[in-house]
Amino acid sequence: MQKLVIRGGPRLRGEVRVSGAKNAVLPSIAASLLTAEEVRLTNVPRVKDVETILTLIADLGGAAEASGDRVSLRVPKILSDEASYGLVRAMRASILVLGPLLARFGKAVVALPGGCAIGSRPIDLHIAGLQKLGAAITLEHGYIRAEAGRLRGAEFAFDKKTVTGTENLLMAAALAKGETVLRNCAREPEVADLAALLNKMGARIDWPDPDTARVRGVRELGGAAHEIIPDRIEAGTFLVAGALAAGDFVVRGVVPGHVGSVVEKLRVAGASIEPEGETALRVVGRGEVRALDITTLPYPGFPTDMQAQAMVLLTQAEGTSIITETIFDRRFSHVNELVRLGAAIEVRGDKAVIRGPAPLSGAEVVATDLRASAALVLAGLVASGETTVTEIEHLDRGYERIEEKLRGLGAAIERIGT
Ligand code: EPZ
């Protein structure tokens, strides 16, 4: 079992480059199921979840080759239409093969993802949308069994904004007969990136308004080459590190517009964050941190995937802060571990009350999910003494070589164990 060992204290300096967005590359890889031609992706992060979905594509009968930050995919036909429980358990984003398998091959069998550390993860809206397009779907023995002739365009409104739900429906509607209008779509940049790839493949998607997608179905889609957008959550994680550890460094390879809500909150908390050219931000931590309230919301609101990281910063703020988590019903598993490091946090329903400043002292802590792991690493940067984060396979699902990137900024962090 590998661990990360962090010694708190060093001020972070220099520059760091973020990788491609995990949550953009996963749907883009799933989209390769929609065509027999080659889909070539660049700026692909080398993270565990990408390996997992490439395994799934190969299990389905597709060819997937990865080299450096490039992935080439070709699915002329499939040998199986089933995404196994094992793979779906490993990564619930495997649900993203449901729409494309159904649209191109008329059948898909995908294990129900079940819950995870951040809450129950229903997919009722994915299913309702696909049924509206004509799919016959049954849920039995823990699997979703979906069948359809050619899907038919329809109007569908999402009850709630769902990122992968919107992505599944965009992919399914791309090959449906006729026009589909999807209302109350998720507006995350990763959704827009998928739509851009689909249009390069020959889909006809446009946006009458930011929450509404109109998809005019086509008979078949072709191959395409596409560069994955930068990971705004990784960028946000480094910006929090700068605000937290009195840093002064540049985060490169970002789309500043994608991190607007995070930058706004960090400025209120006292950090200085200024553009450095078109695709970089310079963050300077001022030492003192101001308390503030944060409510997670669908994009362009403050991202739930940044909630744990922001909480670490607020443990050092002068005063009391309140974080309200509105997206997931159990996304506070990092609280107990932060309290073990000395934080003063109390969870009351969907709110976490953080009293600061609370000096943190290093200890052994356990990672429970991807973003909670990142939060524990951030805490280690400012805790006195040594912090050991275990079960870091969660971290490796979504961050590429995070210890190398932080070491490049001067952090005292190393990976130990086999
Ligand atoms: C995506 O998950 C991201 N994952 C998550 O990132 C992210 O936290 C989440 O969007 C919210 O931004 C990927 O893109 C692979 P949702 P997703 O469907 O699509 C409810 C990370 O750390 N809902 O937008 O699964 C759901 O319960 C991961 O990188 C339904 O009720 O999230 C939640 O309350 C964690 N029915 C809300 O909607 C449905 O059918 C948003 O979920 C679908 C969702």
Side-chain angles (χ1 to χ4, degrees), residues 79-407:
L79 305 176
S80 153
D81 52 23
E82 178 167 328
S84 73
Y85 181 55
L87 274 169
V88 175
R89 278 299 288 160
M91 182 186 68
R92 63 175 309 286
S94 307
I95 192 72
L96 284 166
V97 303
L98 178 60
L101 280 176
L102 196 54
R104 178 154 171 239
F105 301 104
K107 186 159 184 256
V109 180
V110 179
L112 277 164
C116 70
I118 63 177
S120 60
R121 306 291 294 275
I123 50 157
D124 56 310
L125 301 177
H126 298 237
I127 290 172
L130 293 172
Q131 286 174 324
K132 201 71 186 293
L133 296 185
I137 296 182
T138 55
L139 304 182
E140 52 185 14
H141 311 304
Y143 276 80
I144 305 157
R145 294 178 187 285
E147 294 199 17
R150 187 176 180 199
L151 293 172
R152 290 186 314 280
E155 294 229 359
F156 178 72
F158 290 96
D159 289 352
K160 287 176 83 167
K161 286 189 180 297
T162 160
V163 173
T164 50
T166 303
E167 291 164 348
N168 247 332
L169 267 294
L170 284 172
M171 290 189 279
L175 286 179
K177 180 175 173 44
E179 181 173 289
T180 296
V181 176
L182 301 174
R183 301 188 194 287
N184 197 25
C185 292
R187 298 168 58 178
E188 274 69 3
E190 295 76 26
V191 173
D193 200 39
L194 171 67
L197 168 59
L198 291 172
N199 281 343
K200 283 182 186 175
M201 293 167 68
R204 300 172 66 194
I205 301 170
D206 64 282
W207 299 86
D209 67 55
D211 306 81
T212 305
R214 178 175 57 194
V215 186
R216 283 167 285 176
V218 295
R219 282 297 291 171
E220 66 178 19
L221 292 171
H226 186 65
E227 180 177 331
I228 299 297
I229 54 170
D231 193 317
R232 61 192 170 93
I233 304 301
E234 184 188 16
T237 304
F238 286 119
L239 292 173
V240 170
L244 186 65
D248 179 353
F249 59 88
V250 176
V251 182
R252 293 207 178 285
V254 306
V255 177
H258 290 172
V259 289
S261 58
V262 174
V263 168
E264 197 180 298
K265 284 293 181 185
L266 292 179
R267 284 177 176 154
V268 171
S272 156
I273 300 178
E274 294 304 328
E276 180 108 348
E278 298 290 307
T279 59
L281 292 169
R282 182 180 175 200
V283 56
V284 181
R286 295 261 180 253
E288 90 286 344
V289 178
R290 288 194 285 270
L292 53 82
D293 294 345
I294 291 176
T295 298
T296 64
L297 289 169
Y299 193 88
F302 191 91
T304 175
D305 290 350
M306 281 299 304
Q307 181 253 103
Q309 299 92 310
M311 187 180 288
V312 178
L313 179 65
L314 296 175
T315 66
Q316 303 307 301
E318 293 283 342
T320 298
S321 308
I322 297 178
I323 292 184
T324 305
E325 171 57 60
T326 71
I327 307 293
F328 290 110
D329 52 3
R330 249 197 352 265
R331 196 170 197 170
F332 286 138
S333 62
H334 42 284
V335 169
N336 293 332
E337 296 307 302
L338 292 176
V339 167
R340 292 192 60 244
L341 295 174
I345 309 170
E346 200 184 328
V347 172
R348 296 180 195 153
D350 64 350
K351 292 181 185 342
V353 181
I354 304 113
R355 289 185 179 75
L360 301 182
S361 63
E364 177 159 322
V365 285
V366 180
T368 51
D369 64 86
L370 169 55
R371 307 304 174 184
S373 320
L376 296 174
V377 171
L378 292 176
L381 296 175
V382 292
S384 61
E386 199 167 83
T387 298
T388 301
V389 182
T390 62
E391 309 206 7
I392 56 170
E393 61 276 7
H394 294 290
L395 194 64
D396 294 333
R397 289 188 49 179
Y399 288 93
E400 181 179 0
R401 300 178 293 107
I402 193 166
E403 73 274 13
E404 289 176 27
K405 293 183 177 181
L406 286 170
R407 221 176 9 248

